[in-house]
Amino acid sequence: MSPAEAKPQRLTARLLRSMPLPEPDGGKEQRGRVLVIGGSRRVPGAALLAGTGAMRVGAGKLQMATADDVALPLAVAMPEALVLGLPVDAQGEIVRGSAALDQALDGCDAALVGSGMSPTRATATLVQRVLRQAAGTLVIDAGALSPDLRAPPGKPCVLTPHAGEMAKLSGQEKAQVQQEPQALARTFARRTRSVLVLKGATTFIAAPDGRLWIHAGGCHGLGTSGSGDVLAGVIAGLAARCGDPVQAALWGVFVHAEAGRALEASVGSLGFLAREIAAPLPGILDRLHRSRR
């Protein structure tokens, strides 16, 4: 049976134990460097949420590139990161890269682009530059997603749309995406040569070779503003550690959902904030690591 014909697998802790992350020892250089490109004058916090998610899953180093006029406040809010300012337009949206960004892309193990950005022509041009320059796995989220995305051969990419974004990417109605998520996820993953994470109450993770995983273990509280930014950062952080886009996507979806369940138990089923999702992640990863011994 070919991967394209294979039965979808349930994403569980048992499955993850069969694809363990690297041992959490060694210094920061061994755990990978993440670059987050995102944010804008109106949504500067999206990059902060993503960067926090990346660090909380054990990435060793963090760099961030954001709108120039919010770079200093972001650097103060995220003292763990080296922060680059990028040129913006009159609306405060990033309009182009820089030589410093190219250097950061060349040295990263994983990069994330799109959180807090708008889907403009300038954003699409920047994404193409990032695709050419990024040395490691590239996670593409939010405003950086576009229907004409294609990962270059050999370039590991992870796309993270929700159902509304998937409708725009595929040219389908949102209702059709919700009715046929498995087929659409597989088709789009193959077409874009990328790992596709179709987010929702049930999340579908499709590999470009046709393999598909289903996760239904989240909670309603995760449907909150900024939650997707944290998830994208988590996947990027895990990709920096393991170097495998499929493994990073599967682990990222699972531990993000487990963090939501932990907050549901401690805070309530609704009303916890996206900024709180990252805090339980180290303990969740430790428990999963110990349980496979």
Side-chain angles (χ1 to χ4, degrees):
M1 181 183 293
S2 69
E5 299 168 337
K7 182 179 179 180
Q9 299 183 67
R10 288 182 60 232
L11 176 52
T12 64
R14 182 177 181 180
L15 185 145
L16 292 181
R17 286 193 289 269
S18 70
M19 52 176 70
L21 294 171
E23 290 292 326
D25 52 8
K28 58 187 177 183
E29 297 292 347
Q30 284 70 51
R31 296 199 305 274
R33 181 179 306 206
V34 176
L35 171 64
V36 173
I37 308 163
S40 61
R41 187 182 299 153
R42 293 183 300 168
V43 197
L48 177 62
L49 291 170
T52 303
M55 292 298 283
R56 286 291 192 178
V57 293
K61 287 187 173 182
L62 175 65
Q63 292 181 293
M64 308 179 80
T66 191
D68 187 63
D69 47 3
V70 297
L72 180 57
L74 180 61
V76 174
M78 193 80 192
E80 298 85 357
L82 185 156
V83 179
L84 306 173
L86 298 178
V88 298
D89 61 16
Q91 287 71 48
E93 296 285 339
I94 297 170
V95 291
R96 63 180 182 275
S98 66
L101 177 63
D102 290 345
Q103 184 177 7
L105 284 164
D106 187 57
C108 70
D109 297 288
L112 161 63
V113 61
S115 297
M117 297 172 67
S118 297
T120 63
R121 182 176 299 177
T123 298
T125 301
L126 178 63
V127 172
Q128 292 304 312
R129 181 172 184 163
V130 172
L131 277 168
R132 291 192 302 270
Q133 294 290 135
T137 300
L138 179 60
V139 181
I140 304 176
D141 184 44
L145 294 164
S146 68
D148 58 352
L149 270 174
R150 297 290 186 281
K155 169 66 70 177
C157 290
V158 182
L159 314 182
T160 57
H162 54 58
E165 291 165 336
M166 189 68 209
K168 294 177 182 178
L169 293 175
S170 62
Q172 308 288 343
E173 295 294 327
K174 182 178 178 180
Q176 187 173 354
V177 173
Q178 294 170 325
Q179 290 170 3
E180 303 175 358
Q182 296 187 35
L184 278 171
R186 274 180 161 152
T187 298
F188 205 76
R190 188 179 303 111
R191 183 179 126 195
T192 58
R193 297 190 288 266
S194 301
V195 178
L196 183 80
V197 178
L198 178 52
K199 302 178 294 191
T202 298
T203 294
F204 301 86
I205 305 98
D209 62 5
R211 290 176 294 164
L212 182 75
W213 296 265
I214 300 174
H215 184 264
C219 63
H220 294 300
L222 285 173
T224 189
S225 179
S227 178
D229 300 320
V230 178
L231 174 60
V234 165
I235 293 173
L238 292 167
R241 287 185 58 188
C242 72
D244 183 336
V246 171
Q247 185 180 13
L250 294 175
W251 274 85
V253 167
F254 188 87
V255 300
H256 179 264
E258 289 296 297
R261 289 163 64 89
L263 289 167
E264 186 178 51
S266 63
V267 177
S269 58
L270 294 176
F272 55 81
L273 305 176
R275 74 186 75 158
E276 299 171 309
I277 296 171
L281 292 171
I284 291 166
L285 287 169
D286 276 355
R287 288 194 293 276
L288 287 168
H289 180 72
R290 287 195 300 268
S291 67
R292 71 180 180 86
R293 291 177 175 173

